[in-house]
Amino acid sequence: MKAAVLDKFKEPLAVKEVSDPELTSDGIILKLKATGVCRSDWHAWEGEWNGFIPPLPHILGHEMSGTVEEVGKDIKNFKKGDRVIVPFTQGDGTCPHCLAGHSNVCNHQVMPGFTYNGGFAQYTHIPNADRNLMKLPEGVDFLEASAMGCRFMTAFHGVTSRGKVAPGEWVAIFGAGGVGLSATQIATAIGANVIAVDIADDKLEFAKKVGAVATVNSKKENAPEAIKELTHGGAQVGIDALGIQATMLNSVLCLDKRGRHVQIGMTSFGDGGMMNIPLNEMVSREIQFSGSFGMPISEYPGMLQMVEKKRLQPGKLVKNTISLNGIDKVFHDMTNFAGLGVTVITDFD
Ligand SMILES: [Zn+2]
Ligand SMILES: [Zn+2]
């Protein structure tokens, strides 16, 4: 099969023939129809990300959808030809967290594209597939499916399950990239008022198109002050979709008393996983701080039904479709924090 292979960190991916994936008894072979290119792929490509340094050579890509090509002998829920989406935080289905419905924090978690070969290829193998695949509803196409493969579903979990965003609340979303734009669309669909915050005016314009009622350019304005003014006191929820000190701090500082901060973005190499928080302010104003990681498979049916009924439209975030040869250009743009919206590979030949 053809694949875009990471042979050496920070070097262009090599698009070449490699051996086909091998089928296990509990796995399926997936024929890729669409794979999104995510900032997490870029982090892994750099090879400097705490905890997520893939073994080389490696095939990245974790925002996957396609059709089932072959099933292992123990597979009960899927057959050849099924249209599926692949959740990227995959659980064993048996640990206490999986049993409680929280497979995104499984004790034995695996992640396609990180802990095993992913979807920058014509085919890939999904292990433990009965527990870690979802069938796509009729009305949801592959492009939309891959557009919700990681950033969208991560945003869905962050907004709904962790942020518990309610109708009428003010939600300030920091970073108008894939996660931030997704969170903007989702929080808007739920009935919240979204303020998008970024340093790029073109990204803020795009955020308005997917539902933001106001925007703040944090390069030109003091974001917490601007948000407190817009909301007459502060936002109820702040979401840091980026994971840098400034955005995390601004998200906490823009909140009203008893506000909830949701941290989705992870730190880059330079921060080494550590950041400063305004502790006294958080204590005295009773600010909540929640981490949010991926999405458990238990929350997929609800999200997929909202997409099927067009209440959510992840396809609207897709700005580019490319071939396997086009991934390097996307990584280059990510290095420079350029590039608008979501890019999806749809040509694997
Ligand atoms: Zn991702
Ligand atoms: Zn588990």
Side-chain angles (χ1 to χ4, degrees):
M1 69 166 182
K2 198 180 262 185
V5 182
L6 175 65
D7 284 319
K8 204 168 167 225
F9 296 119
K10 294 187 190 172
E11 296 282 324
L13 302 180
V15 178
K16 59 186 177 187
E17 284 293 323
V18 298
S19 47
D20 289 339
E22 277 174 36
L23 182 64
T24 61
S25 57
D26 73 347
I28 63 108
I29 302 291
L30 180 73
K31 181 175 170 38
L32 275 307
K33 294 286 188 182
T35 305
V37 184
C38 174
R39 182 159 282 276
S40 304
D41 294 311
W42 174 87
H43 276 297
W45 169 76
E46 282 219 301
E48 295 177 342
W49 210 19
N50 309 33
F52 291 112
I53 296 176
L56 297 183
H58 189 73
I59 301 172
L60 296 164
H62 55 280
E63 305 190 342
M64 299 188 278
S65 65
T67 54
V68 175
E69 181 74 11
E70 221 181 318
V71 299
K73 66 176 173 50
D74 298 335
I75 290 293
K76 295 184 177 71
N77 301 338
F78 299 94
K79 59 181 191 315
K80 184 178 162 80
D82 281 346
R83 302 166 70 253
V84 293
I85 179 172
V86 185
F88 95 97
T89 45
Q90 300 182 347
D92 55 12
T94 56
C95 81
H97 299 294
C98 284
L99 291 176
H102 307 299
S103 61
N104 60 321
V105 290
C106 173
N107 286 343
H108 306 102
Q109 187 173 73
V110 294
M111 288 182 281
F114 295 106
T115 61
Y116 65 89
N117 279 337
F120 290 175
Q122 289 175 315
Y123 296 93
T124 193
H125 175 258
I126 308 296
N128 200 1
D130 271 338
R131 289 179 167 130
N132 288 303
L133 267 189
M134 287 297 296
K135 281 183 192 151
L136 274 180
E138 281 288 316
V140 181
D141 65 30
F142 293 117
L143 193 70
E144 267 187 316
S146 282
M148 73 181 111
C150 147
R151 290 161 285 188
F152 198 86
M153 60 88 165
T154 293
F156 189 87
H157 180 63
V159 168
T160 61
S161 181
R162 305 299 289 156
K164 299 200 181 338
V165 170
E169 288 192 315
W170 285 99
V171 181
I173 297 176
F174 293 79
V179 171
L181 292 168
S182 302
T184 298
Q185 198 191 80
I186 293 158
T188 301
I190 286 168
N193 301 313
V194 172
I195 303 170
V197 186
D198 203 288
I199 57 171
D201 285 328
D202 58 342
K203 292 185 181 182
L204 291 173
E205 274 310 307
F206 195 21
K208 270 191 185 163
K209 286 197 184 123
V210 296
V213 297
T215 60
V216 172
N217 185 323
S218 55
K219 215 173 194 173
K220 300 174 185 166
E221 287 182 88
N222 179 313
E225 278 176 21
I227 290 163
K228 283 189 166 156
E229 201 172 306
L230 281 164
T231 57
H232 308 295
Q236 280 72 48
V237 179
I239 296 177
D240 178 12
L242 215 55
I244 57 178
Q245 177 73 59
T247 50
M248 185 278 283
L249 194 58
N250 280 347
S251 173
V252 171
L253 294 177
C254 82
L255 295 173
D256 200 355
K257 289 177 181 171
R258 305 192 73 252
R260 290 105 68 196
H261 167 81
V262 179
Q263 187 65 41
I264 295 179
M266 285 196 181
T267 66
S268 294
F269 179 67
D271 290 316
M274 298 295 285
M275 282 191 186
N276 295 314
I277 56 168
L279 189 74
N280 293 353
E281 175 121 356
M282 288 170 70
V283 171
S284 62
R285 293 167 62 82
E286 293 202 334
I287 301 299
Q288 277 182 29
F289 192 111
S290 300
S292 186
F293 184 68
M295 185 169 91
I297 197 157
S298 56
E299 291 173 16
Y300 268 79
M303 178 180 74
L304 287 172
Q305 282 163 41
M306 286 185 82
V307 175
E308 190 184 18
K309 301 301 174 205
K310 312 288 181 213
R311 305 264 333 273
L312 295 175
Q313 296 179 293
K316 279 198 168 171
L317 306 175
V318 178
K319 278 283 181 185
N320 279 308
T321 58
I322 60 168
S323 70
L324 287 175
N325 290 309
I327 302 166
D328 289 310
K329 159 122 188 18
V330 183
F331 282 173
H332 181 76
D333 284 346
M334 285 178 175
T335 302
N336 300 312
F337 289 91
L340 204 56
V342 169
T343 299
V344 178
I345 304 162
T346 50
D347 176 3
F348 296 87
D349 295 322

